[in-house]
Amino acid sequence: MKYSFPHRLMSLVLITVFLTSQVWATCGGGGGGGMGGMSGGSSKETYTVPWKLITPEVQPKEGLAIYWFPVSDVEFKASSLRE
């Protein structure tokens, strides 16, 4: 089966994008200034998240819902997610 020039060009572009995408990646910091990844600094800057407990009766109308299921009560009490 012979592929046309646009198919070959698109394949070449996709291969180039996938192989060079590592250049654009941040080192775990997300690029938001949270000092994540390999910054090497001794100060640990973090963002405070306004956690809210929701019940099945109350559904969030907007925003992002993150579900966290701690394995034990000890993990829940010791987690940095509660700070």
Side-chain angles (χ1 to χ4, degrees):
M1 176 179 213
K2 263 192 161 177
Y3 292 104
S4 65
F5 179 72
H7 285 112
R8 290 177 186 233
L9 182 63
M10 181 58 82
S11 297
L12 182 63
V13 168
L14 288 175
I15 289 170
T16 304
V17 166
F18 288 130
L19 290 178
T20 61
S21 63
Q22 296 173 4
V23 175
W24 307 320
T26 60
C27 295
M35 302 297 289
M38 301 179 66
S39 63
S42 61
S43 65
K44 189 174 181 182
E45 183 178 347
T46 57
Y47 298 114
T48 305
V49 179
W51 294 103
K52 294 179 184 177
L53 295 176
I54 57 173
T55 60
E57 296 82 29
V58 179
Q59 296 295 322
K61 301 203 177 357
E62 62 181 21
L64 175 67
I66 298 177
Y67 297 97
W68 171 49
F69 301 102
V71 177
S72 65
D73 191 41
V74 173
E75 180 187 359
F76 174 74
K77 290 177 181 174
S79 175
S80 64
L81 292 175
R82 297 187 61 219
E83 293 178 359

